[in-house]
Amino acid sequence: MGLVIAALLAFIVLIYLLSSVKVVRQGYQYTIERFGKFTSVAHPGLTIIIPFFDRIGRRVNMMEQVLDIPGQEIITKDNAMVAVDGVVFFQVLDAAKAAYEVSDLYVAIMQLSTTNLRTVMGSMDLDETLSKRDEINTRLLQVVDHATEAWGVKITRVELKDIRPPADIVNAMTRQMKAEREKRATILESEAARQNEINRAEGQKQAQILEAEGRKEAAFRDAEARERSAQAEAAATKMVSDAIEAGSSQSLNYFIAQKYVDAVSQFATSPNAKTILFPVEATQLIGTLGGIGELARDALAGGGGGNRPAPPAPPRGTVPVTRGQS
């Protein structure tokens, strides 16, 4: 009988000792309550409590968690209806506050995120809600994190997963985008045509400037050539005059013959006459040609020639000159 009682007592002691040892898993913290009152927090590892007096209250997950924001319809500032859903990333920093400051932490965070999402997006136009997601996420993060600070929770990120406008608004936005792109294309085409006309006008302007400069240069060259020709003519006339003063008739014969031949060539090149009849002083022409020959021989021989009489002129007559069509 005594052995049975001893074994029973040993069994009770063993059960008591096993009940006093608690193992807390990694990533969790347990709250310890004594007679229903919070006393301490058990961290990961082995924890000793007093059985029948202490007990494990809440098992709080201390890892970062993800909470889905259910899809909901929100009216924007310009009275457009959009469907929105998102996610909230949070982490519990204080297990005691998360366990005892709010009754249901997950429901509280979800409801808080939903109401603030309505508030933030309801104050924006539809175009802003579609183009300013980062701004919406930042504002939601600031508001929700500030509200959950008293619960020992840190909101790390708030992200919008999807924003779905109504079908008619999507169609209208598509037409607007198409019209805007067509407008840009038309503007670009008109700008290209304008630039093309400007380039063409600029090219014509430069061509006219270059042409004017060419005409100016040609006129300058022509004037210079005429000036040099006049100077040469004046020099030749002066030389002939000096030769005449010196008593040489060959220079005079050469000068007169050159002018005479030039005049005859002008008659011959007239575009309005096929047959030309005019009196010619044949003897004078032949004498002039003879003077030219004598002058040339004297020039080649290198000696100065004296006055030589011209050959006798034949009788004066009429010489027909005929030029056929080419």
Side-chain angles (χ1 to χ4, degrees):
M1 189 66 180
L3 291 176
V4 173
I5 295 174
L8 182 61
L9 291 175
F11 179 75
I12 293 173
V13 170
L14 180 61
I15 295 298
Y16 182 84
L17 292 176
L18 291 176
S19 299
S20 64
V21 177
K22 299 296 180 181
V23 178
V24 180
R25 294 182 298 168
Q26 182 65 36
Y28 286 83
Q29 290 184 3
Y30 297 168
T31 61
I32 299 176
E33 300 176 353
R34 178 169 295 175
F35 299 113
K37 182 181 179 181
F38 169 75
T39 56
S40 61
V41 175
H43 296 279
L46 188 64
T47 302
I48 305 298
I49 63 174
I50 301 175
F52 307 112
F53 295 95
D54 298 336
R55 70 181 186 89
I56 301 298
R58 303 286 181 88
R59 293 174 172 80
V60 181
N61 188 348
M62 305 299 292
M63 296 178 288
E64 186 172 3
Q65 304 175 63
V66 181
L67 183 63
D68 287 331
I69 301 176
Q72 54 186 315
E73 293 185 348
I74 299 175
I75 300 176
T76 61
K77 185 178 180 180
D78 52 354
N79 297 325
M81 186 74 68
V82 293
V84 183
D85 56 1
V87 291
V88 177
F89 296 83
F90 70 95
Q91 185 176 12
V92 177
L93 301 180
D94 192 331
K97 291 183 178 181
Y100 301 109
E101 294 294 337
V102 60
S103 60
D104 193 333
L105 179 63
Y106 298 99
V107 174
I109 293 176
M110 185 178 63
Q111 295 297 328
L112 184 63
S113 301
T114 301
T115 55
N116 282 279
L117 179 61
R118 290 179 178 273
T119 302
V120 172
M121 296 190 65
S123 62
M124 304 174 70
D125 295 333
L126 177 62
D127 293 338
E128 293 179 342
T129 59
L130 296 176
S131 61
K132 297 182 178 180
R133 289 197 177 192
D134 292 338
E135 182 178 346
I136 296 174
N137 295 336
T138 303
R139 292 175 60 181
L140 280 175
L141 177 63
Q142 294 175 352
V143 173
V144 178
D145 183 57
H146 179 72
T148 57
E149 184 178 359
W151 303 341
V153 176
K154 174 64 178 178
I155 305 297
T156 56
R157 290 189 303 276
V158 178
E159 300 289 341
L160 297 180
K161 291 195 299 185
D162 192 14
I163 300 177
R164 299 180 298 276
D168 56 345
I169 295 181
V170 174
N171 294 332
M173 293 172 62
T174 303
R175 293 194 301 270
Q176 179 183 1
M177 179 185 64
K178 183 178 179 180
E180 185 67 24
R181 292 185 181 276
E182 291 178 353
K183 175 184 175 182
R184 292 180 183 177
T186 303
I187 293 175
L188 290 177
E189 290 177 357
S190 63
E191 288 291 335
R194 174 175 174 269
Q195 189 63 35
N196 186 22
E197 293 296 331
I198 292 175
N199 292 337
R200 184 178 302 172
E202 187 67 24
Q204 294 177 355
K205 175 183 175 182
Q206 293 296 331
Q208 292 175 359
I209 292 174
L210 293 176
E211 184 179 358
E213 290 179 353
R215 291 196 302 268
K216 176 182 176 182
E217 184 67 21
F220 177 76
R221 297 293 183 182
D222 292 342
E224 185 178 3
R226 288 193 299 271
E227 181 181 359
R228 292 184 179 180
S229 177
Q231 291 176 357
E233 187 71 21
T237 304
K238 185 176 183 300
M239 291 176 63
V240 171
S241 299
D242 293 342
I244 292 172
E245 290 179 358
S248 176
S249 62
Q250 294 179 358
S251 299
L252 180 61
N253 292 334
Y254 174 77
F255 187 75
I256 295 174
Q258 183 181 6
K259 295 297 182 180
Y260 197 81
V261 171
D262 291 341
V264 173
S265 65
Q266 291 180 1
F267 280 110
T269 58
S270 175
N272 299 323
K274 301 300 184 291
T275 302
I276 304 173
L277 300 176
F278 56 91
V280 177
E281 296 295 337
T283 57
Q284 295 181 4
L285 178 58
I286 294 171
T288 304
L289 294 177
I292 294 174
E294 291 294 335
L295 182 61
R297 283 194 296 271
D298 293 341
L300 292 174
N307 292 332
R308 293 184 182 180
R316 179 179 304 175
T318 303
V319 179
V321 178
T322 303
R323 179 173 63 87
Q325 295 182 355
S326 56

